[in-house]
């Protein structure tokens, strides 16, 4: 079962990977980041926008942080300014890290209930399952971004957790 230690490790991994993708995306032009590439959400920017939206909606459910506007369909429109996105991404990665440090070990016990706009109904699931989903969702869509960046000639870093630099383990 996921624990506080698991969540902290994954939050550090999330920070490392987001920095890698943003650094690689910075080597592309705005037009290249916005180019439709056949991925589920289309472009690099739209997919990164969806990841940030997903992080915000789950942290709203987990910790009561402000919810993002709109639903999944609008999730691709958070990125309207690249520099603003980069700042928002870094700040929210800090929010996730801080939450994993402050959350009580007991939080991972029991269920979480919320209204799902995607399912149009109330849902209740074990928090331990949802925290795995939270980090898995990020990883899934970052993989799509990694592939789009690589195809565009950008070079993100490794993605394997054992290769995460010590500076991120120390966060």
């Amino acid at each position: 079962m996921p624990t506080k230690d698991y969540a902290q490790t994954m939050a550090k991994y999330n920070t490392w990977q987001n920095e890698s993708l943003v650094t690689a995306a910075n080597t592309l032009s705005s037009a290249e980041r916005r180019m439709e590439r056949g991925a589920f959400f289309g472009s690099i920017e739209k997919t990164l926008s969806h990841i940030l939206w997903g992080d915000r909606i789950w942290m709203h459910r987990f910790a009561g942080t402000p919810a993002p506007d709109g639903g999944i369909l609008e999730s691709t429109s958070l990125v309207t300014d690249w520099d603003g996105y980069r700042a928002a991404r870094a700040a929210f990665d800090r929010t996730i890290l801080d939450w994993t440090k402050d959350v009580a070990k007991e939080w991972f016990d029991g269920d979480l209930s919320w209204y799902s706009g995607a399912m149009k109904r109330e849902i209740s699931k074990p928090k331990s399952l949802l925290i795995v989903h939270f980090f898995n969702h990020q990883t899934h869509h970052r993989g799509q971004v990694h592939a789009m960046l690589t195809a565009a000639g950008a070079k993100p870093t490794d993605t394997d957790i054992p290769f995460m630099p010590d500076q991120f383990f120390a966060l």
Side-chain angles (χ1 to χ4, degrees), residues 1-159:
M1 281 303 191
T3 62
K4 180 179 175 117
D5 289 338
Y6 167 83
Q8 286 178 325
T9 299
M10 293 307 294
K12 293 170 184 181
Y13 175 74
N14 172 63
T15 300
W16 173 45
Q17 287 301 296
N18 286 334
E19 285 186 18
S20 170
L21 295 183
V22 166
T23 298
N26 281 337
T27 67
L28 302 176
S29 70
S30 178
E32 289 172 310
R33 288 191 304 269
R34 291 182 177 150
M35 179 186 296
E36 291 297 319
R37 297 180 181 274
F40 189 81
F41 290 106
S43 72
I44 292 166
E45 283 192 9
K46 285 180 179 179
T47 305
L48 290 172
S49 179
H50 172 75
I51 297 167
L52 179 57
W53 179 90
D55 287 355
R56 286 179 175 171
I57 196 71
W58 282 108
M59 285 305 297
H60 169 70
R61 294 169 183 158
F62 295 160
T65 59
D69 292 331
I72 293 172
L73 293 177
E74 296 83 18
S75 71
T76 60
S77 62
L78 288 179
V79 178
T80 58
D81 164 51
W82 182 246
D83 290 334
Y85 165 78
R86 290 176 23 205
R89 179 72 268 177
F92 208 74
D93 286 346
R94 174 51 55 192
T95 296
I96 296 168
L97 276 167
D98 290 346
W99 178 76
T100 65
K101 291 177 182 178
D102 294 340
V103 68
K105 290 180 182 181
E106 298 77 23
W107 181 90
F108 296 88
D109 300 331
D111 291 347
L112 179 72
S113 298
W114 75 99
Y115 179 81
S116 168
M119 300 298 292
K120 305 288 187 230
R121 63 182 171 90
E122 191 77 18
I123 295 182
S124 185
K125 296 289 181 188
K127 291 177 186 174
S128 59
L129 175 70
L130 297 175
I131 200 71
V132 170
H133 169 74
F134 174 63
F135 290 115
N136 188 60
H137 179 264
Q138 298 167 338
T139 301
H140 166 69
H141 288 302
R142 276 196 307 260
Q144 294 171 331
V145 173
H146 193 286
M148 288 186 280
L149 287 166
T150 302
K155 299 191 184 323
T157 61
D158 284 323
T159 60

